[in-house]
Amino acid sequence: MQKLTIAIDGPAGSGKSSLARRVASMLGYLYMDSGAMYRAVALKALRRRVPLNDEQALSTIARETHVELKRPSPEQEAAGAKNCVFLDGVEVTDEIRTEEVAQAASRLATIQEVREVLVAEQQRAGAGGGIVMEGRDIGTVVFPDAELKIFLDASPEVRAQRRWKEHQEKGDKISLQEVVEEVRERDRRDRERKVSPLVRAADAVLVDNTAMGIDETARIIVMLVKERDATAAKAGRTA
Ligand code: DC
């Protein structure tokens, strides 16, 4: 099989991370969580107390920040870790998973210069193919020529429930209602921003996993990958 590029976009709590990780491991591909990059830059801005409406200062931070995503160890993976995230060389894998950082990431993700810096990094990381990258603009902006694009969605209630369950498992004190509000606000901002809003690419396959588990959804995606691979191989033979 060829090494394809797979873009998975969707709103918060749609299950992108679990799905993208599972598909990557089934195919032996790299997995990349682009949202972690926005979160890492947001964490740095919060730590420096930079106002989240200071576009110039936030763009400077994005340019001067080195975010690295590394594959977790098998033990960390078994415990549910996604990418291990390093901010200027220091691990911040857990620190970026708070609601405060999520909201700040969504706010700084509206700034064009910040996006340009991070999109360039993502394109470099995925240049060789054989990657499953998840985010909001992967199929529309980062890899518009990806061989397979998935737009993953689920009902707002189910998405909020999933996020809340994650918080419960970590022992965070946050009510379901607060998570519902948080997800709603972030959705609105991510979908309505002027630069690279969350939209389904015209050629993305819409997958609604409200009533589907991770295994079933991953199997569907892998089936689509095999189909795309066969199409690409056929095109290669006739070229
Ligand atoms: O995927 P996530 O929830 O960890 O992402 C956090 C925020 O980062 C999200 O609310 C919007 C932003 N983001 C983005 O604008 N583009 C991406 N490709 C990924 C994330």
Side-chain angles (χ1 to χ4, degrees):
M1 280 218 309
Q2 304 183 46
K3 293 261 179 190
L4 309 185
T5 298
I6 304 172
I8 302 185
D9 291 302
S14 58
K16 299 183 301 288
S17 305
S18 313
L19 178 68
R21 263 189 305 158
R22 177 70 65 87
V23 170
S25 105
M26 285 164 86
L27 296 168
Y29 279 20
L30 284 174
Y31 158 67
M32 198 165 160
D33 170 12
S34 66
M37 301 176 78
Y38 290 90
R39 285 173 182 257
V41 177
L43 177 66
K44 183 162 170 176
L46 288 171
R47 284 177 171 171
R48 292 192 172 181
R49 303 192 190 286
V50 174
L52 294 171
N53 57 3
D54 188 341
E55 297 200 0
Q56 219 175 343
L58 293 168
S59 303
T60 304
I61 288 191
R63 275 195 303 274
E64 292 173 352
T65 300
H66 180 60
V67 182
E68 205 180 345
L69 304 183
K70 289 189 188 161
R71 206 187 164 138
S73 67
E75 296 76 40
Q76 288 171 313
E77 217 156 2
K82 310 207 276 182
N83 283 138
C84 290
V85 185
F86 291 81
L87 172 61
D88 296 324
V90 179
E91 183 160 12
V92 291
T93 306
D94 296 330
E95 288 88 336
I96 61 167
R97 298 286 156 205
T98 66
E99 290 306 333
E100 187 192 16
V101 173
Q103 285 292 349
S106 166
R107 287 186 64 179
L108 66 79
T110 62
I111 304 169
Q112 174 141 18
E113 291 74 16
V114 171
R115 301 200 70 85
E116 281 168 8
V117 172
L118 298 185
V119 166
E121 281 288 320
Q122 292 151 16
Q123 289 172 332
R124 262 195 295 279
I131 188 162
V132 185
M133 194 177 292
E134 53 130 325
R136 304 291 189 290
D137 61 339
I138 310 303
T140 49
V141 177
V142 181
F143 295 119
D145 297 327
E147 284 88 357
L148 179 61
K149 300 179 188 177
I150 303 294
F151 191 89
L152 192 68
D153 212 345
S155 73
E157 296 75 26
V158 164
R159 294 193 285 112
Q161 282 276 0
R162 287 178 185 160
R163 269 288 139 89
W164 186 63
K165 201 165 152 250
E166 279 170 22
H167 284 298
Q168 294 285 299
E169 281 163 5
K170 284 193 293 175
D172 294 347
K173 291 205 174 15
I174 185 165
S175 71
L176 177 59
Q177 194 48 39
E178 282 170 315
V179 178
V180 168
E181 293 300 327
E182 193 277 329
V183 166
R184 187 177 298 147
E185 189 182 341
R186 214 142 59 89
D187 274 1
R188 186 191 51 72
R189 196 183 297 112
D190 294 347
R191 288 182 200 270
E192 292 179 4
R193 68 180 177 225
K194 290 199 184 70
V195 207
S196 315
L198 169 66
V199 282
R200 176 183 166 193
D203 52 351
V205 180
L206 174 65
V207 176
D208 188 313
N209 70 358
T210 302
M212 267 196 301
I214 169 88
D215 293 335
E216 193 181 356
T217 319
R219 272 202 303 274
I220 293 174
I221 309 301
V222 170
M223 220 167 65
L224 289 170
V225 171
K226 290 189 175 147
E227 194 187 280
R228 296 293 153 103
D229 185 54
T231 311
K234 211 157 128 194
R237 278 202 302 277
T238 53

